[in-house]
């Protein structure tokens, strides 16, 4: 049996040997290179553009400006098509624009023989602007006289709900009511491989796009919409991809390469963004500004949470208000027995466009929630862990927002397991007298919840095709994309488990090609093992049945007495006795002249459930008061992600997520000038991404529940690890110093101000 | 309805616009180039090889010799795996050899940064040989003291049968018995695109091969056998291909590129053969040497045919005796009411290796047969057309060889139609007095038969998957390969016909990728429309059913009252009334949250029938006695290929085949020196391939029968047109001059000898 074992990743050798081929490793002959001409201002309008000098550079093949592109607005968010058009993403983009909304906005594009020539020529395009006041802060954006960044105004979306009772009633029952303001910063995904794509045409009717994307089938649809080209005539190929974290759940450059090859008679054209372009002009994480109120009873019962948030999407909507929407819903599964009000608004601003980023708004809302929870516990003088243990949801609780019963809810168990592994009580005692002096010690905890997919917000479709090869091995075809998270490995384990075939003989086709790949919307929302796992399961049941039926046909043994073990068909009753090998069976099915055929099994399936996952972080910090620097001595994440398919890859996911949250907690912030809209740190030297020397040992543990709505008992694991470390660190800093930081990152620069204010320095 | 219409080829725009991408148009970065070190002798053994000088050339990355390759012999013929191992192809190859069997044999290979460097280095590899007597002619090869070219001896295979009665009985009944010797020459396919393939690895376990091949799934299997690498871990991709004609139904370079990348740690390596290498060292058409006897009654009834042939496969078996086997069987369907004896032998020789070439031995045996038929008619003073009309098979006749009833037999109708279209009787009369002088006129006719696929010789498996796209268009996935013959277009017409969906909205994925493509053994044996057409039909019936079932689900209209018309679901009774568009239906199936899924239909199928196709050529020539030159004034092929799917592409096939046969009749011969084994004309300047100026207007007509074993009434059409023109031209020359040529080509050089012998000059 394969599930639950730390089998080697399917892509391990390809990646460690450097043989894995990424988009840039392939090409078609005659490839041309495209470079954007980007605005040098953050808000305004192009009044004149002169491409004459640029066109004279030898090797320049074409220049397109905002005047040359289709005028149909499109949305770039990587969501399935919404049958309910009212729920569709905001279409506010053109391929190129004369209306500048951020520094680096795309107003023209140069295509040349080499990237260097294209960059030289792009720099020679002369642009004149009419400039407008730059709107960066929510106050500026929402002020009555603010210019509309988009024709529809500066608010992308808003919603509000109050569930589990009424705040005004709960407030009366509360003995302690606390209010706080907490905010998070704009950070960037920093995936290793920048955005890259190329396109070419094989005839005048069909476009091929090769792209580093999380969502090939969606990229195909959105390209179709953006350039008004039939979706059936576009094919998107996704080779190995060097990370995405949500930045590539957005259709950033695919429509443009498709447009260019189309307009250039099929000439192959590539866009390969620089790190600077990727950081400042693709997608970021929405900064959130939260006002939070909560009330508790005297003995620590959480009566209500009242959250009011503003999410800033920057220059374009991208995923827009969906982020604030999704981020807010998790509080209801964490604390389902309290009254919860959530009021959210997403606004434009003249700064980089925010999109999907690992955990999709949840780190922001959970930061706000878990800061407030901590501060209420402190105010009530209740141990913060005890406070959470008392109030977190339990199996069988009902989510007050969607009225769904929560079948598996391991949060309390996670907290209890963490208490023990972390030695919460021992550390608490030990640090009681380390709250003064230059180096102070503290501990913190924070909880989270997350979803498994997007249902019922979006359709959850997944498909799988299994093919028995002539040598008895199996190919797994899925539209669900391996983006480094290990999904291919998990699917292979699932198929091996259910068919009975050796894991080593189950191979997942890692490259998606929308012409061939069974339809799936791609890698996002931590949906793969939960949603697509169910398609793999059904396909594997089907394949096993077909193999045993064929074994019966050629051996005359009733299929009921047969089963598959490794590379053989055996007797159920005597698994050591080979009836025939899968190789012989497959050879017969392919090559016998009068029977058989290729043995395949295919399903396309819609999931109509969505199981919440849970977890928490415990962290132990030293804070150097003079240096305003935080040292993480121990940090551990405990997850209820249902059953764990592969403990090794699961651990990898947890480590990566924790690292990302530590970065957001202590280091990272994309700095934008409030007057000019200019980005100060659009490179990895100035954008203080933590390195391995900044990273503590990362602890991780699992509480394995068995989620009944899932084929293999799994729940989401990809994004969850990046949610709770930041608030846990914040709470530990508060424990150590008495100072309660209210914004991210808690960098020395930021802590200095707060420590000074508190009189610590 | 789409079938029977001259719809535009699916690849027309790609090809005429130059956008179609062939193997050489793609690459992976870091591609290295491999060039063979070829023997300079035709028979011998390498005694020493020194690669030191070559290795010193900057840019040389590796050199492998016969000492470095696996020692397991493999077969290269593009056949399905034979479950009956006694019927397997002859395994007589190594990747590189020290035992030289033809000039240009492959003894080492150099891999370098560029092809030029590799060629320079290859020329510096020093080789010493022990030389053996070169064996070229059948007499030399079969002489008692001839050295064994391969360890098993010089005969590759032999078989003999006598059907429809006994020759000795028939001979007694015959009033005229005639004996003749006829031979055909070694010609080459001359496909536009030479053999080219490259391979790379994405990890240590998987090899990707991109190749110009007719048989991607077979290339995968044979590569697996040749280098002992699991077949499930090899993928073969076939982009557009620039012709094959059977030369690419052989696995010529794929195992080597796979071996090279494997041994070079996954480095991408390409082999791109030159025209010279392609002509002289890949595959040719087997020259045949025939002794034929026949007997007829006084009133022109064919009593028996007794054929004794030697087929020369050259240095390696490749398709070997299968060619002589298949070529001989057609006489039984042409003249099923006579006694037929066929005795065939295939031998090795120290000359280029022969393999599959359009019509697979049939042009050779039919040339022998139709020369003898002509000569018997002349001897009996019967009109050659009348003689054939009297003796050809009729519907309901039984093939005396395999005892199968011939359900559709249009040969007599073809002859009658040709008689009229060609004006046989008028021309015969008009030319009666043009048999003397410098310019003499004559007419000729010849018949042929062919098979539709290879059953029961080989398994005939075909698969098809249809996918309904989100825009209501359909993708057709087939393993059957488009190699220029128009199969993609035919499959699209079939799918359109059966589903009811517009042809323009049915798209065939032209690139095969063995990881994804449904299993099919590829393009050969004129099997595609007959064999794979049945898979397309079944898949299309399935797709239509699924679409209508889904329409019922979402509209509530009983599916029995619905049908598909173009891009809409309509009422059967009111086809003008739209129930819903396919786009809306597909959108619902993909994106409705609680129902549907991707709508696909897949079948994998084994054909267990094989319908013979028929036809004939009529030709009108002038022969310039002094110049020994033949002018074709009119030539027309008439075909019974069952129903014609697309008259335009069918005509294209007929024209191409006729052109190829005219080349073989009058121009082409690969010349080998009988002493040295050297090839004199391994290039397109010296190999007298006819050009457009040598080509007359090519006439073509069809007799459409409706073959009941076929889904769409079709029978083979790809190869047949190249069978009967050569003997028809020979017979016309005989008619014009009284000289009966007995060998191909009937070039001026050859006719000069015969005319001189006959005293004409």
């Amino acid at each position: 049996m394969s599930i639950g074992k730390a089998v080697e990743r399917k892509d391990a050798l390809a990646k460690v040997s450097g043989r894995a081929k990424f988009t840039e490793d392939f090409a078609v002959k005659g490839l041309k290179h495209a470079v954007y001409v980007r605005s040098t201002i953050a808000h305004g309008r192009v009044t004149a553009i002169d491409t004459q000098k640029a066109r004279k550079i030898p090797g320049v093949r074409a220049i397109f400006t905002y005047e040359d592109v289709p005028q149909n607005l499109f949305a770039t968010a990587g969501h399935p098509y919404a049958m309910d058009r009212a729920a569709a993403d905001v279409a506010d983009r053109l391929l190129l624009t004369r209306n500048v909304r951020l520094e680096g906005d795309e107003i023209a594009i140069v295509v040349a023989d080499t990237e260097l020539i294209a960059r030289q020529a792009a720099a020679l395009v002369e642009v004149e602007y009419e400039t407008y006041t730059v709107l960066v802060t929510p106050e500026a954006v929402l002020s009555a006289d603010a210019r509309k960044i988009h024709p529809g105004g500066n608010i992308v979306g808003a919603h509000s709900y109050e569930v589990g009772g009424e705040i005004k009633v709960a407030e009366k029952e509360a003995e302690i009511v606390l209010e706080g303001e907490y905010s998070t910063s704009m950070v960037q995904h920093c995936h290793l491989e920048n955005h890259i794509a190329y396109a070419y045409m094989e005839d005048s009717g069909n476009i091929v796009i090769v792209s580093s994307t999380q969502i090939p089938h969606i990229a195909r649809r959105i390209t179709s919409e953006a350039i008004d080209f039939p979706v059936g005539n576009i094919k998107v190929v996704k080779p190995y991809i060097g990370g995405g974290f949500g930045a590539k759940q957005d259709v950033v450059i695919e429509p443009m390469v498709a447009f260019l090859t189309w307009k250039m008679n099929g000439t192959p054209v590539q866009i390969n963004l620089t790190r600077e372009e990727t950081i400042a002009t693709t997608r970021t994480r929405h900064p959130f500004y939260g006002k939070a109120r909560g009330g508790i009873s005297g003995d620590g019962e959480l009566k209500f949470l009242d959250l009011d948030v503003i999410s800033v999407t920057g220059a374009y909507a991208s995923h827009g208000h969906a982020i604030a929407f999704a981020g807010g819903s998790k509080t209801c599964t964490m604390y389902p027995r309290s009254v919860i009000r959530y009021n959210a608004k997403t606004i434009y601003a003249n700064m980089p466009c925010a999109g999907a980023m690992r955990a999709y708004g949840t780190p922001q809302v959970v930061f706000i929630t878990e800061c407030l929870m901590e501060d209420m516990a402190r105010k009530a003088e209740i141990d913060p862990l005890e406070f959470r243990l008392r109030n977190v949801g339990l199996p069988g609780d009902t989510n007050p927002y969607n009225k769904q019963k929560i079948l598996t809810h391991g949060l309390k168990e996670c907290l209890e397991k963490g208490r023990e592994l972390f030695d919460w009580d021992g550390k608490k005692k030990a640090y009681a007298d380390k709250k003064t002096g230059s180096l102070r010690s503290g501990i913190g905890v924070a909880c989270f919840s997350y979803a498994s997919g997007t249902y019922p917000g979006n359709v959850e479709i997944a498909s799988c095709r299994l093919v028995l090869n002539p040598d008895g091995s199996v190919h797994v075809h899925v539209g669900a994309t391996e983006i480094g998270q290990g999904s291919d490995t998990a699917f292979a384990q699932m198929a091996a488990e259910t068919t009975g075939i050796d894991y080593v003989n189950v191979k997942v086709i890692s490259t998606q090609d929308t012409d061939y790949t069974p339809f799936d919307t791609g890698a996002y929302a931590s949906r793969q093992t939960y949603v697509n796992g169910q398609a793999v399961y059904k396909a594997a049941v089907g394949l096993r049945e077909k193999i045993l039926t064929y074994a019966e046909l050629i051996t005359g043994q009733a299929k009921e007495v047969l089963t598959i073990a490794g590379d053989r068909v055996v007797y159920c009753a005597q698994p050591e006795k080979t009836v025939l090998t899968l190789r012989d069976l497959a050879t017969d099915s392919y090559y016998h002249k009068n029977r058989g055929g290729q043995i395949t099994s295919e399903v396309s399936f819609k999931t109509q459930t969505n199981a919440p996952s849970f977890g928490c972080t415990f962290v132990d910090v030293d804070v150097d008061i003079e240096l305003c620097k935080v040292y993480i001595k121990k940090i551990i994440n405990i997850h209820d992600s249902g059953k764990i398919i592969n403990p090794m890859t699961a651990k990898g996911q947890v480590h990566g997520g924790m690292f990302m949250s530590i970065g957001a907690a202590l280091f990272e912030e994309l700095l934008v000038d409030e007057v000019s809209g200019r980005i100060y740190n659009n490179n990895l030297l100035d954008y203080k991404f933590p390195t391995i020397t900044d990273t503590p040992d990362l602890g991780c543990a699992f509480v394995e529940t068995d989620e009944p709505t899932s084929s293999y008992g799994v729940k989401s694991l990809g994004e969850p690890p990046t949610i709770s470390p930041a608030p846990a660190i914040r709470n530990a800093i508060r424990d150590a110093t008495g100072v309660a930081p209210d914004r991210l990152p808690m960098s020395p620069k930021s802590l200095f101000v707060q420590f000074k204010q508190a009189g610590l320095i």
Side-chain angles (χ1 to χ4, degrees), chain A:
Chain A
M1 295 292 95
S2 179
I3 282 186
K5 287 193 185 152
V7 296
E8 185 181 286
R9 282 179 69 115
K10 286 291 178 188
D11 54 359
L13 274 166
K15 287 182 174 168
V16 298
S17 68
R19 282 170 176 156
K21 300 270 180 290
F22 296 79
T23 300
E24 203 178 355
D25 295 316
F26 297 91
V28 281
K29 286 199 178 165
L31 187 69
K32 306 298 175 199
H33 302 264
V35 168
Y36 282 106
V37 176
R38 297 186 177 280
S39 69
T40 53
I41 64 165
H43 199 191
R45 188 164 181 279
V46 177
T47 53
I49 186 161
D50 186 348
T51 61
Q52 284 195 49
K53 276 188 203 163
R55 285 182 200 273
K56 285 179 187 152
I57 305 286
V60 169
R61 298 289 163 184
I63 300 180
F64 298 88
T65 75
Y66 54 81
E67 289 174 342
D68 304 316
V69 298
Q71 292 302 304
N72 48 318
L73 291 164
F74 62 96
T76 65
H79 293 138
Y81 179 81
M83 300 273 290
D84 172 9
R85 297 312 290 154
D89 291 300
V90 178
D92 62 2
R93 283 259 182 192
L94 296 174
L95 286 176
L96 296 168
T97 184
R98 74 179 305 167
N99 297 303
V100 171
R101 297 176 174 109
L102 76 158
E103 186 201 25
D105 215 345
E106 292 147 4
I107 56 186
I109 193 157
V110 177
V111 184
D113 291 349
T114 68
E115 192 181 319
L116 184 62
I117 294 172
R119 287 205 184 279
Q120 287 170 331
L124 291 176
V125 173
E126 293 171 347
V127 186
E128 287 171 31
Y129 304 95
E130 177 189 353
T131 60
Y132 307 146
T133 304
V134 171
L135 306 170
V136 168
T137 63
E139 296 71 38
V141 170
L142 296 173
S143 72
D145 60 345
R147 177 182 281 272
K148 288 179 179 176
I149 296 173
H150 285 271
N154 292 343
I155 296 174
V156 177
H159 79 302
S160 185
Y161 56 79
E162 188 171 335
V163 295
E166 288 180 54
I167 292 278
K168 62 183 178 191
V169 175
E171 197 164 353
K172 280 178 196 153
E173 293 167 13
E175 285 169 50
I176 295 169
V177 172
L178 192 69
E179 191 166 339
E181 292 194 17
Y182 312 95
S183 64
T184 65
S185 62
M186 174 165 61
V187 295
Q188 220 269 343
H189 313 69
C190 296
H191 35 85
L192 263 178
E193 184 194 30
N194 290 318
H195 291 263
I196 177 168
Y198 65 89
Y200 60 93
M201 295 179 79
E202 291 222 307
D203 57 37
S204 58
N206 295 282
I207 297 174
V208 179
I209 303 169
V210 181
S211 176
S212 177
T213 177
Q214 300 174 218
I215 46 168
H217 275 107
I218 292 177
R220 181 190 190 210
R221 175 180 63 79
I222 291 178
T223 298
S224 162
E225 291 168 7
I227 68 170
D228 198 14
F229 200 92
V231 74
N233 295 23
I234 297 172
K235 112 165 169 170
V236 178
V237 178
K238 178 217 76 96
Y240 277 115
I241 119 167
F245 306 116
K248 295 172 186 168
Q249 190 208 340
D250 224 303
V251 182
V252 176
I253 53 176
E254 292 88 350
M256 180 53 90
V257 289
F259 172 77
L260 292 174
T261 192
W262 183 27
K263 292 302 162 188
M264 294 177 72
N265 294 313
T267 301
V269 182
Q270 178 172 286
I271 295 178
N272 190 357
L273 296 186
T274 61
R275 178 62 66 185
E276 288 74 7
E277 287 176 298
T278 298
I279 288 182
T281 71
T282 64
R283 300 293 179 270
T284 66
R285 190 190 284 284
H286 294 70
F288 270 51
Y289 298 87
K291 288 185 185 170
R293 283 193 329 132
I296 58 177
S297 69
D299 60 349
E301 187 189 343
L302 179 65
K303 303 306 289 184
F304 75 95
L305 286 168
D306 182 5
L307 310 178
D308 202 314
V309 308
I310 291 177
S311 165
V312 185
T313 191
Y316 293 95
S318 173
H319 286 250
H321 192 60
I323 303 273
F325 190 92
S329 64
K330 310 313 179 334
T331 312
C332 299
T333 38
M334 288 161 73
Y335 304 114
R337 295 191 304 276
S338 309
V339 180
I340 293 171
R341 201 176 77 88
Y342 184 65
N343 183 40
K345 190 181 289 169
T346 300
I347 62 171
Y348 286 119
N350 294 124
M351 48 193 249
C353 175
M357 184 170 167
R358 198 172 192 171
Y360 209 76
T362 306
Q364 296 97 310
V365 180
V366 165
F367 181 76
I368 294 163
T369 306
E370 289 295 283
C371 285
L372 178 68
M373 286 292 288
E374 184 76 14
D375 294 349
M376 287 194 292
R378 297 280 170 184
K379 185 163 180 191
E381 295 182 348
I382 304 171
D383 178 275
L385 175 58
E386 293 290 355
F387 179 51
R388 287 176 174 84
L389 280 167
R390 162 129 200 211
N391 289 295
V392 294
L394 295 169
D397 275 350
T398 296
N399 176 336
Y401 175 67
N402 64 11
K403 315 293 186 229
Q404 295 289 311
K405 204 171 203 185
I406 302 166
L407 302 174
T408 54
H409 200 313
L411 184 48
K412 193 170 183 194
E413 271 183 88
C414 287
L415 288 167
E416 283 162 351
K417 187 166 188 172
R419 174 182 218 148
E420 199 161 314
L421 288 171
F422 182 80
D423 188 18
W424 173 270
D425 302 292
K427 282 190 201 299
K428 187 177 171 184
K429 204 172 289 177
Y431 293 167
D433 60 351
K434 295 196 173 172
K435 310 297 182 192
T436 57
S438 294
L439 202 65
R440 305 183 185 187
S441 299
I443 54 175
V445 64
C447 301
F448 76 86
S449 171
Y450 203 65
S452 301
T454 65
Y455 188 83
N458 287 299
V459 63
E460 278 298 1
I461 179 170
S463 316
C464 177
R465 184 190 305 128
L466 300 176
V467 178
L468 184 66
N469 286 317
D471 58 4
S473 65
V474 170
H475 270 174
V476 181
H477 301 185
V478 286
T481 49
E482 170 68 63
I483 61 166
Q485 83 283 50
S487 60
D488 283 355
T489 301
F491 296 144
Q493 289 182 262
M494 292 172 177
E497 181 84 11
T498 301
T499 58
I501 296 170
D502 288 326
Y503 169 75
V504 73
N505 288 335
V506 177
K507 187 183 159 193
V508 182
I509 310 299
S510 197
T511 293
Q512 276 71 35
D513 175 329
T514 56
D515 268 7
Y516 282 123
T517 305
F519 190 86
D520 183 287
T521 47
Y524 56 85
S526 300
R527 58 188 288 280
Q528 311 264 68
T529 49
Y530 182 79
V531 175
N532 198 61
Q534 302 186 45
V536 174
Y537 175 76
K538 287 173 198 287
V541 167
L543 187 75
R544 184 176 181 281
E545 172 67 18
K546 286 187 181 181
I547 289 172
L548 294 180
T549 301
Y550 200 73
E552 174 173 323
L553 176 73
I554 64 181
T555 67
Q557 305 290 317
K559 67 181 175 187
E560 291 72 20
V561 308
L562 304 177
T563 189
I564 299 171
D567 58 358
R568 301 166 301 125
V569 175
V570 299
Y571 292 102
C572 299
Q574 291 169 277
E576 70 290 353
K577 201 166 165 197
T578 300
V579 178
L580 83 172
T581 64
L582 287 178
R583 173 189 290 272
D584 286 346
L585 181 144
T587 299
D588 192 286
S589 76
Y590 278 97
Y591 297 115
H592 192 287
K593 287 179 192 170
N594 301 313
R595 66 185 179 204
Q598 188 174 35
I599 295 178
T600 68
S601 172
E602 179 174 342
V603 298
S604 183
F605 170 77
K606 285 175 181 170
T607 297
Q608 293 168 58
T609 56
N610 188 339
S613 63
F614 301 96
C616 55
T617 303
F618 287 81
V619 63
D620 171 4
V621 303
D622 277 353
V623 182
D624 184 318
I625 300 295
E626 274 84 16
L627 292 178
C628 304
K629 198 161 159 41
V630 178
Y631 300 93
I632 297 172
K633 291 184 298 184
K634 186 180 180 79
I635 184 165
I636 181 166
N637 261 31
I638 301 100
H639 288 267
D640 163 21
S641 288
K643 289 280 175 197
I644 298 303
I645 301 294
N646 184 322
M648 181 176 61
T649 58
K651 196 171 161 185
Q653 278 286 36
V654 174
H655 284 179
M658 291 172 75
F659 171 83
M660 194 169 248
S661 189
I662 291 169
L666 301 178
F667 299 88
E668 298 178 50
E669 180 173 23
L670 195 51
L671 295 164
V672 53
D673 185 281
E674 288 186 13
V675 175
S676 67
R678 176 145 297 175
I679 299 300
Y680 290 128
N681 55 346
N682 68 352
N683 59 75
L684 291 181
L685 187 65
D686 298 314
Y687 180 83
K688 295 296 181 192
F689 195 70
T691 69
I692 193 66
T693 61
D694 301 306
T695 311
D697 280 346
L698 302 167
C700 115
F702 297 98
V703 166
E704 292 198 51
T705 56
D706 189 357
E707 173 59 34
T709 62
S710 155
S711 295
Y712 298 95
V714 302
K715 302 193 286 187
S716 62
L717 177 58
E719 296 164 280
T722 209
I723 302 171
S724 54
I729 293 167
R730 180 267 183 191
N731 294 341
I733 294 171
R734 171 169 187 158
D735 182 51
T737 66
V739 174
D742 56 7
R743 65 178 298 267
L744 294 180
M746 298 169 292
S747 59
K749 176 184 145 192
S750 162
L751 289 180
F752 174 78
V753 175
Q754 292 170 74
F755 287 174
K756 187 133 188 166
Q757 226 162 21
L760 295 187
I761 46 177

